[in-house]
């Protein structure tokens, strides 16, 4: 059964939020809600952002940083790579064209259905896996690299559980690189207008952002961590933090993306990229 069934849509095609609250939300509630949300939102999201994401391209963040320029994963040719939260899997297909042996994973069946369509239309076929990132159905030390471009980590209640799973499936010396919402975004309004850069909530308030439908059912959950929280989560599972990247806005890039915009991007960071490695 389609998990997005009966989820009402707003005029923009995204799931309609009947209410918004800041309250606790656990792992099961977060996963269930976000699976339904992304299943329902997939057509609207890809209609809005698909041309920017591309069919076989690796965009790390709305600032426009691409792996072809950043080389955060190094040489991927011949490497076994796991992408977590692949969406329609453009990053995985780009990695495949660069010579990697890729597995693309997502929680959302709706997103994976679009990924399968693009596999067929591009002729670049990557294996697709539906799973929760906190319970990866992969063997120990089977991956050389793992990556996640805004895929999953901002939406999970327990990032340590996901990071522990990533550490488990990585081979010694393997990299895990992930982009997430920059924690500095949390205190500001969700607006691309630089005039709205005013603090409206506490940076230190980790209470999740929760949207509900008209019947009060949870339909979307996003979790906040400070920069220190991310550092502690990474080192807490035994990964080595090699770099924290805060991408600057790409010169000439004009696309707005939610609260990201060229004007706002010139003033404050919107993305944090964690570059980590498994020792050994």
């Amino acid at each position: 059964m389609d998990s997005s069934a009966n989820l009402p849509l707003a005029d923009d095609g995204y799931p309609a939020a009947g209410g918004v609250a800041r309250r606790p939300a656990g792992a099961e509630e977060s996963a269930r809600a976000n699976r339904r949300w992304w299943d329902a939102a997939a057509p609207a999201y890809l209609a809005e952002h698909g041309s920017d994401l591309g069919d076989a391209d690796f965009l790390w963040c709305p600032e426009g940083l691409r792996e072809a320029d950043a080389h955060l994963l190094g040489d991927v040719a011949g490497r076994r790579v796991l992408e977590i939260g692949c969406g329609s899997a453009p990053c995985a297909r780009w990695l495949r064209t660069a010579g990697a042996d890729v597995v693309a994973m997502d929680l959302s069946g709706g997103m994976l259905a679009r990924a399968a369509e693009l596999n067929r239309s591009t002729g670049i076929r990557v294996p697709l896996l539906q799973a929760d990132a906190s319970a990866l159905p992969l063997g120990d030390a089977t991956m050389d690299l793992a990556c996640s471009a805004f895929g999953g980590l901002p939406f999970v209640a327990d990032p340590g559980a996901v990071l522990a799973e990533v550490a488990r499936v990585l081979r010694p010396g393997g990299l895990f690189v992930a982009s997430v919402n920059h924690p500095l975004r949390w205190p500001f309004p969700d607006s691309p207008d630089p005039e709205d850069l005013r603090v409206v909530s506490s940076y230190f308030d980790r209470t999740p952002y929760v949207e509900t439908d008209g019947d009060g059912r949870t339909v979307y959950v996003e979790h906040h961590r400070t920069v220190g929280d991310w550092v502690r989560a990474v080192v807490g599972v035994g990964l080595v933090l090699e770099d924290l990247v805060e991408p600057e806005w790409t010169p000439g890039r004009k696309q707005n993306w939610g609260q990201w915009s060229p004007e706002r991007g010139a003033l404050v960071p919107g993305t944090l990229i964690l570059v980590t490695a498994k020792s050994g």
Side-chain angles (χ1 to χ4, degrees):
M1 182 178 178
D2 182 359
S3 66
S4 66
N6 302 319
L7 197 60
L9 302 180
D11 291 342
D12 60 3
Y14 287 94
V20 173
R22 295 282 291 276
R23 63 165 175 77
E28 184 178 344
E29 180 183 8
S30 297
R32 182 175 61 250
N34 287 324
R35 181 188 297 112
R36 294 180 70 233
W37 194 92
W38 284 105
D39 282 352
Y45 179 84
L46 294 172
E48 182 179 4
H49 300 298
S51 61
D52 200 16
L53 292 167
D55 294 341
D57 198 0
F58 199 132
L59 180 69
W60 277 112
C61 54
E63 287 85 355
L65 183 68
R66 284 178 153 79
E67 177 59 14
D69 302 311
H71 308 293
L72 296 176
L73 296 171
D75 184 2
V76 301
R79 312 296 297 279
R80 183 124 171 99
V81 184
L82 169 66
E83 184 187 4
I84 295 173
C86 67
S88 60
C91 299
R93 281 186 291 276
W94 182 90
L95 289 164
R96 184 70 189 90
T97 64
D101 179 10
V102 190
V103 174
M105 188 220 85
D106 203 280
L107 182 67
S108 166
M111 277 293 189
L112 290 173
R114 180 58 179 152
E117 293 173 6
L118 287 169
N119 276 355
R120 291 189 291 269
S121 65
T122 62
I124 307 168
R125 297 182 179 271
V126 297
L128 304 173
L129 179 65
Q130 185 172 14
D132 190 313
S134 63
L136 297 173
L138 300 167
D140 296 356
T142 52
M143 294 288 161
D144 298 304
L145 300 166
C147 59
S148 182
F150 279 90
L153 283 176
F155 308 105
V156 297
D158 184 1
V162 176
L163 292 168
E165 278 291 272
V166 171
R168 179 183 66 79
V169 303
L170 278 178
R171 296 187 177 115
L175 292 178
F176 175 52
V177 183
S179 58
V180 298
N181 298 326
H182 197 291
L184 191 60
R185 291 183 57 208
W186 190 253
F188 298 121
D190 191 13
S191 164
D193 189 342
E195 297 298 322
D196 288 333
L197 282 175
R198 63 188 189 281
V199 174
V200 296
S201 63
S202 171
Y203 172 81
F204 301 103
D205 182 0
R206 281 83 160 180
T207 308
Y209 169 89
V210 178
E211 293 182 0
T212 56
D213 64 14
D215 296 322
R217 296 176 300 179
T218 304
V219 296
Y220 180 91
V221 182
E222 191 167 324
H223 294 267
H224 167 62
R225 284 104 199 176
T226 67
V227 174
D229 291 340
W230 281 119
V231 172
R232 285 184 289 275
V234 166
V235 302
V237 300
L239 293 172
V240 176
L241 183 64
E242 296 197 335
D243 200 0
L244 290 173
V245 181
E246 298 169 294
E248 296 186 44
W249 199 266
T250 300
R253 180 172 169 82
K254 300 184 183 304
Q255 292 95 327
N256 281 17
W257 190 314
Q259 74 166 199
W260 284 273
S261 67
E263 297 79 15
R264 189 162 178 166
L267 299 174
V268 293
T271 297
L272 183 69
I273 302 179
L274 307 162
V275 183
T276 76
K278 182 174 180 177
S279 60

